[in-house]
Amino acid sequence: MAISYKELGLVNTKIMFQKAMEGGFAVPAYNINNMEQVQAIIHACVETDSPVIMQVSKGARQYADATMLRYMAMGAVQMMREMGGNIPIALHLDHGDSFELAQDCIENGFSSVMIDASHLPYEENIALSRKVVEYAHSRPDYVSVEAELGVLAGIEDDVQAERSTYTHPEQVEDFTKRTGVDSLAISIGTSHGAYKFKVKLGEEPPPLRFDILEECQRRLPGFPIVLHGASSVLQDYVDMINKYGGHMEGAVGVSEDQLRRAAGSAVCKINIDSDGRLAMTAAIRKVLAEKPGEFDPRKYLGPARDALTELMKHKNEKVVGSAGHGAEIMAAIEAAEGAAVAR
Ligand code: G3H
Ligand code: 13P
Ligand code: ZN
């Protein structure tokens, strides 16, 4: 039986993005696959009073199970309230690759979906994105839709992008008008994973193409832009992984300065997955290296969860700037809903 995200206590991204645009910050989108990640998100975001998007890839859905995820999201909302928090939480499909997957997620309580047809020819991208929008927006509770123009380098779920293609700004008005999407992911030089740029020792990675972002922003005033592949690949975690038996030489990400600049622009959603993976892996490797006899999962998953919580607090406070905006956005959502009921 289909369930509405509202029954789970979730919200869509509409007002989150309006507030992010006005306030010059971005909402963090953290990927989830398991309980520890959900707990870390709730702790970090309640403690920093931050709105948050919990996002689920196709692979994560296969890993965790659709029904389990629905109850995990419900549990997250409940836990947030029991902690005394009042923050907006969205549940989002990350890199959805078909109408059927987007539909299934919406029927299972997702408040937002991404349809990623960016690797298809332009007209096919429009047709598929439009189809998802028609379905999502026709729901009585209005599910938000993100689509993508341009292709990021690296692996996007099952889709291997051989070469990245920057977004062509001259397409953005036509694309958003004809699809009706609520937000648009663009390609300005980021990529997925922990190896984003090939740089020689001591060299800085190339800057993001802010000229493309600015041109998109000029052509779509007030329209929410999304940045994928936005992990910074913090050196401390890479060093820790290497110190305790891992091999991640040459891992490099997007600098925090560049992300802060993006968050202050029309970028309203910043996707972070790899940084969380690194923080968890570093903590787990340390425990297992220092205590080779340890075999209670709580003894390594607990420190991994703590490391993830600290990482997310840092992101909310110092990178995306969402800290302190949770309750304020919740109040705006409640006011908008009250006004709709009154009408
Ligand atoms: O962009 C992809 C996300 O990092 C999710 O990765 O497909 O391995 O779950 P995944
Ligand atoms: P990172 O691999 O840079 O964390 O990007 C995550 C992402 O874009 C998820 O959609
Ligand atoms: Zn992505």
Side-chain angles (χ1 to χ4, degrees), residues 94-128:
D94 191 24
H95 295 288
D97 62 355
S98 68
F99 172 77
E100 291 73 21
L101 177 60
Q103 182 179 36
D104 196 43
C105 286
I106 291 169
E107 288 180 355
N108 274 284
F110 281 54
S111 60
S112 175
V113 292
M114 174 188 194
I115 178 71
D116 182 359
S118 57
H119 53 285
L120 296 179
Y122 182 67
E123 288 298 328
E124 289 175 41
N125 186 354
I126 290 190
L128 184 51

Side-chain angles (χ1 to χ4, degrees), residues 237-249 281-290:
Y237 294 124
V238 176
D239 290 348
M240 209 161 136
I241 288 171
N242 290 337
K243 178 175 170 192
Y244 293 110
H247 292 287
M248 294 203 66
E249 282 73 23
T281 302
I284 290 170
R285 278 196 178 279
K286 182 171 189 289
V287 172
L288 296 183
E290 287 177 348

Side-chain angles (χ1 to χ4, degrees), residues 252-304:
V252 52
V254 183
S255 81
E256 292 190 341
D257 279 346
Q258 301 251 309
L259 294 170
R260 275 188 281 270
R261 181 172 163 194
S265 74
V267 169
C268 293
K269 171 173 179 271
I270 290 194
N271 286 10
I272 300 163
D273 188 11
S274 296
D275 278 343
R277 295 179 180 196
L278 291 168
M280 292 185 87
T281 302
I284 290 170
R285 278 196 178 279
K286 182 171 189 289
V287 172
L288 296 183
E290 287 177 348
K291 298 179 187 153
E294 189 55 73
F295 71 104
D296 178 347
R298 293 170 296 186
K299 297 286 165 38
Y300 50 86
L301 292 178

Side-chain angles (χ1 to χ4, degrees), residues 61-75:
R61 218 160 168 255
Q62 281 159 355
Y63 176 83
D65 183 85
T67 305
M68 180 59 83
L69 279 166
R70 176 208 286 197
Y71 288 101
M72 275 166 60
M74 205 166 131

